[in-house]
Every structure is written in structure tokens, then in C-alpha cells.
Amino acid sequence: MTPRFSAQRTRALPILLIAAALTACQSTERAAPPPPPSAPAPAPAAPTFSGPVLGPDGQCNGVAQGAAAAIEPGIGECDLVRLKGKPPTDVLVGEGRSGREVQVLYNEPGAKELYFFVNNRLDRIVR
């Protein structure tokens, strides 16, 4: 082997390596496209409730049905006022995860009573 032939071979080797590397970059294969974004879940329907409800001023926006005979879970906001026989000390009206949420406070002699309503139904009482 002549020295001239070996020198040509040494110079050609880097050129062949670069050509092979560039050929790999021009591959026609492509990765799978990302999946399309899923449609957002529809918002849950707002809970419904019936009957008159209390306003922030403690007044009913209609006539209480009068069906409740005792203060117990499940009665309506205006039924509570009718059964108590007097307007509440304070009323907080808001919207929560479950829908309409109302807190009704009565200052009674020696104690406070707090009534929690969800969608116009008495949920719990704190005394």
C-alpha cells in the first residue's frame, strides 16, 4: 500500500461520516401527531328548587306554602321564618358548589341558632 493511497482514504473517512449523519437527518419517517384536545366537559346543570326564598333583607319573595309543621331538615327557607314567627337577625345568600346556599341567623335569648339551606331546603342547624 502506498502512502498516497492511505492519505486519500484518511481524508475520505470524515466526509463519509458527515454524509451518513446528514442522511439520517433527512429521514421521511415522522412521529405520530399528538391527539386532538378533548372537548371540555359540559357544565353541570344548575340545581333547581321550588317555592319562595329569602332575600338578603330576610323577607320572603313570595308566600310560604305552609306545609311544614316543624323545623326539621328539608323545609324551605320561608317555612322557617313562618314557623319562627319573626324575621331572622341576619341572612347570607350566595352561590356554592351545590347551587343556592343560604345561612339564616336567629339570636335567641341565651343562644344563637344558625340554619343552613341548600337549594331552598334546610340542610343542618347549628345551635
Side-chain angles (χ1 to χ4, degrees), residues 22-78:
L22 290 176
T23 304
C25 291
Q26 296 176 357
S27 174
T28 59
E29 291 182 34
R30 294 181 183 229
S38 60
T48 59
F49 50 88
S50 61
V53 293
L54 287 175
D57 60 354
Q59 300 296 315
C60 289
N61 68 355
V63 179
Q65 304 298 334
I71 298 174
E72 58 190 7
I75 67 170
E77 300 165 16
C78 291

Side-chain angles (χ1 to χ4, degrees), residues 12-13 23 30 36 41 65 78 81-82 91 97 111 120 123:
L13 185 61
T23 304
R30 294 181 183 229
Q65 304 298 334
C78 291
V81 175
R82 180 183 55 79
V91 177
R97 285 181 263 160
N120 197 23
D123 186 55

Side-chain angles (χ1 to χ4, degrees), residues 64-106:
Q65 304 298 334
I71 298 174
E72 58 190 7
I75 67 170
E77 300 165 16
C78 291
D79 285 333
L80 173 69
V81 175
R82 180 183 55 79
L83 291 169
K84 291 296 263 182
K86 61 182 181 178
T89 306
D90 195 13
V91 177
L92 296 174
V93 179
E95 293 294 322
R97 285 181 263 160
S98 301
R100 177 184 165 88
E101 294 182 0
V102 178
Q103 298 175 16
V104 181
L105 172 68
Y106 275 95

